[in-house]
Amino acid sequence: MTSLSRLSVLCCAAVGLLAGGCTEPSGDPSQAQKSYGRPVDATDAIPAPAVAAEATLYTGPPVTVDGRVASVMPDGCTLYLMTGDGPPLRVDTTRPDEGTCAWQVPPETDGFAVAAGTLRATGDTLRLSANGVRVTPVRASHPDP
């Protein structure tokens, strides 16, 4: 096994722990990574489960969060990232005008997202007001029977 193959296996295992199953990028080039809103640099992204576990550390200043997409609202202005056992992290678009979304993600989106913005807690809900989101679609490498 080459070192690149070992790295791929390790990455898949790490993603599997966070996402609950081994996934890989979609083989369909039309399903490539897409950005919505402002460009997002994922270099210093913090996994959504870590943000949820210590939300007070990340509330207030700008933060970049990544995680598996749990769902997208029908209007595409809000998506949810899985956080493990707790409630999902809500990622909302900024709204420059009353009722207008700065970005919209297709409701059928399935994959991993990186979002940059400001985190706040409302009750037991964590909300990230995001200027931009980048989504990488995935497909299950071992579909459920």
Side-chain angles (χ1 to χ4, degrees):
M1 185 180 275
T2 68
S3 60
L4 184 57
S5 296
R6 283 188 209 119
L7 181 60
S8 293
V9 169
L10 288 173
C11 287
C12 187
V15 168
L17 289 173
L18 290 174
C22 189
T23 56
E24 59 188 53
S26 170
D28 182 353
S30 68
Q31 295 295 314
Q33 189 175 81
K34 293 191 179 188
S35 293
Y36 304 92
R38 292 188 185 156
V40 177
D41 179 8
T43 306
D44 296 322
I46 302 161
V51 170
E54 299 185 287
T56 56
L57 293 176
Y58 305 107
T59 302
V63 65
T64 302
V65 179
D66 65 1
R68 179 69 191 247
V69 175
S71 63
V72 179
M73 295 300 289
D75 66 0
C77 298
T78 299
L79 61 94
Y80 293 88
L81 300 180
M82 294 179 187
T83 60
D85 295 334
L89 185 145
R90 181 179 172 136
V91 179
D92 292 316
T93 182
T94 55
R95 295 184 184 262
D97 298 318
E98 182 87 23
T100 303
C101 299
W103 49 261
Q104 290 178 291
V105 175
E108 66 280 357
T109 297
D110 182 27
F112 290 89
V114 180
T118 305
L119 184 71
R120 63 186 162 98
T122 306
D124 65 347
T125 302
L126 288 177
R127 293 176 181 241
L128 182 74
S129 180
N131 299 314
V133 174
R134 186 171 71 201
V135 177
T136 303
V138 296
R139 63 179 171 82
S141 59
H142 303 288
D144 292 334

